[in-house]
């Protein structure tokens, strides 16, 4: 990676169409690219975009599963699992940047030994005294003594320098365009004996050290070396998903939904009554709405909102072909009908939630959340109730990703409710 590289050259915002769905990072020994989700607005400031890349990694780490982190590299080839230990690499980089120096051992280690200064407090606490016969005098058969391992500690520092260098080669552009100097210890990825020796040394240090921050560093270096030794360094490395729609669903539920336990009350179920055959009556798996939002109205009564997160392209293209289809609409009406029964006959509001970019869109709007459309079933022959009119809501992708953990969520919920209810006023 060239030290002069512009961070913006390493960023891409997906269109969420064929061949452009991956969200995360892809890199090799020459280059790294960061792929943002559909509708994301990149900032103009280099420091801001670096921070938002790290925020994206946090989202992917929190909201993806092992099944999500599988990539379809070629339609005619098998999928591959994404095993790149990005958090280990980040820990090594951030430890170095926070201290602006490499690890060096300043901690005193005490062990049972025949040499070295005695630590009497630890000896009294952890060793059993021997009482001498016919005497009130006692002694110990072993003592805890201060140990120094300058050679081992120096090797830990050299391993850290190597890990820092390798981490910056892969992810450093996310933090700074500069790469630390090349270390004197360079490990061949095919030299498994050397890698195992370094890992064993780090494990020894991990068991000796009581400092949690240093221990996280040692664990990160161990994970790095394991990955480094099990992969050809010429190959690409990945962290992310081709299935960002799953992340979108979980983010919507995180920001707007009630708890998983509360939501289960609103899962419509079905079952078979069997007249022939050996099987007994059996319930089928329930339909599960993505999110149920519950807010209080002006009179203090509950208002129910059934939300279906759709990572669709309508907010980018404005094309009706990129809106949910009939089966989605009818399923959403079914959800609403069931929630109505659970809500003592009060019809809930119903909405699809889709991504868009509030700063760059075809609609001439700039709100975090905006109502774009409404859907209903033509088979309904009575005046439609709220749950039978599903609102097409657009939410700014960056707003959702950057603010899902904040108290701003309450404002987003109120704004979402206002946009949904616009069509009912």
């Amino acid at each position: 990676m060239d030290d002069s590289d512009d961070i913006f050259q390493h960023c891409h915002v997906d269109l969420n169409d064929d061949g452009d769905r991956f969200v995360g990072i892809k890199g090799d020994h020459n280059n790294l690219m960061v792929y943002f989700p559909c509708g994301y607005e990149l900032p103009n400031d280099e420091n801001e975009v670096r921070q938002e890349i790290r925020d994206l990694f946090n989202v992917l780490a929190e909201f993806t599963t092992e099944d999500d982190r599988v990539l379809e590299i070629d339609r005619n080839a098998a999928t591959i699992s994404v095993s790149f230990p990005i958090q280990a690499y980040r820990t090594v980089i951030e430890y170095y940047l926070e201290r602006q120096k490499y690890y060096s051992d300043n901690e005193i280690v005490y062990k049972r030994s025949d040499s070295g200064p005695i630590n009497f407090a630890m000896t009294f606490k952890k060793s059993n005294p021997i009482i001498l016969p016919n005497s009130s005098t006692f002694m110990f058969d072993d003592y805890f003594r201060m140990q120094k391992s300058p050679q081992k500690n120096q090797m830990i520092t050299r391993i850290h320098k190597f890990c820092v260098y390798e981490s910056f080669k892969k992810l450093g552009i996310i933090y700074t365009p500069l790469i630390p100097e090349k270390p004197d210890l360079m490990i061949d990825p095919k030299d498994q004996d050397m890698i195992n020796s370094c890992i064993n040394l780090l494990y020894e240090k991990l068991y000796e050290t009581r400092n949690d921050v240093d221990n996280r560093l040692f664990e990160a270096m161990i994970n790095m070396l394991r990955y480094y030794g099990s992969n050809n360094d010429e190959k690409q490395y990945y962290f992310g998903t081709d299935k960002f729609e799953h992340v979108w669903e979980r983010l919507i539920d995180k920001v707007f939904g009630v708890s998983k336990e509360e939501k289960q009350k609103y899962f419509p179920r079905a079952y078979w009554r069997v007249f022939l055959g050996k099987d007994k009556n059996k319930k089928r798996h329930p339909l599960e709405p993505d999110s149920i939002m519950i807010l209080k109205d002006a009179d203090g009564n509950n208002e129910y909102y059934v939300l279906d997160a759709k990572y669709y392209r309508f907010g980018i293209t404005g094309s009706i072909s990129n809106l949910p289809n009939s089966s989605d609409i009818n399923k959403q009406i079914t959800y609403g009908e069931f929630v109505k029964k659970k809500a003592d006959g009060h019809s809930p509001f119903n909405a699809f939630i889709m991504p868009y970019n509030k700063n760059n869109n075809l609609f001439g709007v700039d709100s975090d959340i905006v109502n774009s459309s409404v859907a209903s079933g033509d088979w309904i022959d009575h005046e439609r109730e709220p749950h039978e009119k599903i609102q097409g809501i657009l939410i700014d992708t960056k707003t959702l990703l950057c603010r899902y953990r904040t108290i701003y969520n309450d404002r987003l919920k109120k704004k979402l409710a206002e946009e949904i209810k616009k069509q009912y006023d």
Side-chain angles (χ1 to χ4, degrees), residues 173-389:
I173 188 65
I174 296 168
Y175 294 86
T176 171
L178 303 177
I179 295 180
E181 62 181 358
K182 192 172 183 177
D184 62 329
L185 174 67
M186 291 300 294
I187 302 174
D188 187 332
K190 297 178 182 178
D191 189 349
Q192 200 61 51
D193 289 339
M194 181 61 179
I195 291 171
N196 289 338
S197 176
C198 292
I199 288 174
N200 290 337
L201 198 58
L202 288 167
Y203 268 121
E204 288 181 21
K205 196 66 183 171
L206 183 63
Y207 294 142
E208 293 174 357
T209 304
R210 300 174 185 83
N211 185 302
D212 290 342
V213 175
D214 288 345
N215 280 342
R216 283 194 290 273
L217 172 66
F218 301 144
E219 289 173 348
M221 289 196 290
I222 288 169
N223 289 333
M224 263 192 66
L225 290 171
R226 281 178 174 163
Y227 174 81
Y228 181 73
S230 64
N231 290 268
N232 185 328
D233 203 36
E234 300 299 311
K235 289 184 178 179
Q236 283 194 312
Y237 53 93
Y238 309 85
F239 179 78
T241 180
D242 280 334
K243 303 174 181 177
F244 193 77
E245 62 270 19
H246 297 168
V247 179
W248 186 256
E249 292 168 5
R250 292 163 191 151
L251 279 166
I252 294 296
D253 198 33
K254 173 79 172 180
V255 173
F256 300 106
V258 295
S259 69
K260 183 177 180 180
E261 293 74 21
E262 175 75 5
K263 185 169 65 171
Q264 286 180 347
K265 295 191 297 188
Y266 306 102
F267 291 177
R269 290 171 168 82
Y271 69 93
W272 279 100
R273 250 185 100 194
V274 179
F275 301 109
L276 299 176
K278 297 179 180 179
D279 290 337
K280 296 182 179 180
N281 299 347
K282 184 178 181 180
K283 287 186 178 181
R284 310 309 297 172
H285 289 295
L287 288 171
E288 300 184 14
D290 289 342
S291 301
I292 300 291
M293 183 173 76
I294 304 176
L295 298 178
K296 296 290 185 182
D297 64 15
D299 298 322
N301 300 314
N302 282 342
E303 287 183 340
Y304 296 84
Y305 299 79
V306 185
L307 310 178
D308 192 9
K310 293 295 186 186
Y311 187 59
Y312 287 10
R313 301 178 62 223
F314 176 75
I316 308 303
T317 67
S319 172
I320 197 169
S321 64
N322 295 134
L323 285 168
N325 57 34
S326 294
S327 62
D328 294 315
I329 295 167
N330 290 329
K331 184 169 67 173
Q332 201 68 10
I333 293 172
T334 300
Y335 287 147
E337 188 68 31
F338 185 77
V339 172
K340 176 183 175 182
K341 293 179 182 297
K342 290 289 186 178
D344 298 324
H346 297 290
S347 180
F349 298 99
N350 228 330
F352 295 121
I353 313 293
M354 297 170 286
Y356 98 116
N357 184 339
K358 69 178 182 181
N359 295 315
N360 182 12
N361 59 76
L362 303 172
F363 314 111
V365 294
D366 59 2
S367 177
D368 289 340
I369 301 174
V370 62
N371 194 325
S372 71
S373 48
V374 62
S376 60
D378 61 7
W379 48 269
I380 297 173
D381 57 6
H382 56 265
E383 183 177 350
R384 291 177 175 84
E385 297 186 65
H387 73 273
E388 294 170 331
K389 295 193 292 185

Side-chain angles (χ1 to χ4, degrees), residues 1-12 30-34 36 42-50 53 172-178:
M1 190 180 296
D2 191 333
D3 289 356
S4 64
D5 277 350
D6 180 353
I7 185 62
F8 294 100
Q9 296 176 5
H10 298 271
C11 297
H12 170 78
N30 284 325
N31 192 28
L32 174 144
M33 283 298 298
V34 181
F36 285 85
L42 290 173
N44 295 320
D45 180 78
E46 287 190 7
N47 291 328
E48 286 183 21
V49 76
R50 287 191 169 97
I53 291 171
I173 188 65
I174 296 168
Y175 294 86
T176 171
L178 303 177

